[in-house]
């Protein structure tokens, strides 16, 4: 799950609260940390794991609005590729 940190339609704080609500049944596997694209901070992320083996991650995209790929195409592509390849940010 990702959210632009400049999104005025669905602020990242609302998305974060929703993920934390879901996370009440999950354990935090990785606390907030920056994620990078081209050695620059692209946003921040937090990871969760389920006792049954599932996983969930929430990432913000620094400087992006509601349509992340429009505002930050390189960062959006990095997120998408990480998701498809099951690699951490």
């Amino acid at each position: 799950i990702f959210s632009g940190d400049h999104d005025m339609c669905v602020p990242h704080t609302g998305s974060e609260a929703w993920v934390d609500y879901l996370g009440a049944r999950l354990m935090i596997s990785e606390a907030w940390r920056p994620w990078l694209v081209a050695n620059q901070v692209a946003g921040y992320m937090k990871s969760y794991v389920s006792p049954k083996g599932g996983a969930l991650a929430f990432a913000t995209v620094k400087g992006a609005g509601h349509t992340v790929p429009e505002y930050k195409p390189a960062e959006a592509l990095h997120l998408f590729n990480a998701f498809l390849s099951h690699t951490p940010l």
Side-chain angles (χ1 to χ4, degrees):
I1 301 170
F2 63 92
S3 183
D5 67 1
H6 290 179
D7 185 345
M8 295 296 119
C9 296
V10 182
H12 72 90
T13 53
S15 299
E16 181 183 348
W18 176 70
V19 171
D20 283 342
Y21 170 77
L22 294 175
R25 295 182 178 94
L26 306 173
M27 297 181 315
I28 295 174
S29 62
E30 189 172 23
W32 281 110
R33 68 163 178 83
W35 62 278
L36 308 175
V37 173
N39 293 320
Q40 297 291 316
V41 174
Y44 294 87
M45 59 133 348
K46 179 169 35 172
S47 300
Y48 302 86
V49 292
S50 164
K52 297 181 180 181
L56 174 72
F58 174 66
T60 65
V61 182
K62 184 178 169 187
H66 188 66
T67 52
V68 171
E70 179 182 9
Y71 288 91
K72 295 290 189 169
E75 290 82 346
L77 182 61
H78 186 86
L79 278 169
F80 187 64
N81 286 335
F83 173 75
L84 291 178
S85 64
H86 300 283
T87 57
L89 290 175

